[in-house]
Amino acid sequence: MNVKADKLQNYTVIARLDDAIPLNTEEWVSVERMLNQVSEFVPMSMLNNLTELIINYADDQARRGYILGQEDLVSELKKKASKIA
């Protein structure tokens, strides 16, 4: 697969996840509260970097999970198709 197609596929996955996963969950509210408490003691630039790392990690995990799920779905569909044929 070429780089352009790779980027398009990643963008499509990210867009799908953004549409499907709520951003304002109770879990995130807890993280946000903790970050606000920590911000009293830590420089804002360090806190922003930490937040960005958390977000990137979560996005990557969600993307990987989505891709694995799609691969599993394709595998199941192939199995069912081979039984029918």
Side-chain angles (χ1 to χ4, degrees):
M1 197 176 278
N2 67 29
V3 173
K4 189 174 182 180
D6 245 4
K7 286 183 180 179
L8 179 61
Q9 182 183 12
N10 279 338
Y11 174 76
T12 304
V13 169
I14 290 167
R16 174 74 177 104
L17 290 169
D18 285 348
D19 289 343
I21 299 174
L23 299 176
N24 195 13
T25 63
E26 187 56 40
E27 292 82 4
W28 178 250
V29 170
S30 298
V31 170
E32 198 171 37
R33 282 189 200 124
M34 184 63 68
L35 288 171
N36 285 332
Q37 290 175 351
V38 170
S39 70
E40 295 176 23
F41 307 103
V42 176
M44 228 22 205
S45 61
M46 187 181 287
L47 190 59
N48 287 338
N49 289 341
L50 174 62
T51 304
E52 186 71 25
L53 289 170
I54 292 169
I55 291 167
N56 288 337
Y57 176 77
D59 282 349
D60 186 57
Q61 291 298 98
R63 183 184 59 80
R64 288 171 189 247
Y66 179 84
I67 291 170
L68 284 172
Q70 292 300 304
E71 289 174 354
D72 289 349
L73 177 61
V74 168
S75 177
E76 283 298 314
L77 291 174
K78 284 180 181 178
K79 284 179 190 175
K80 287 181 181 179
S82 68
K83 288 179 183 177
I84 294 172

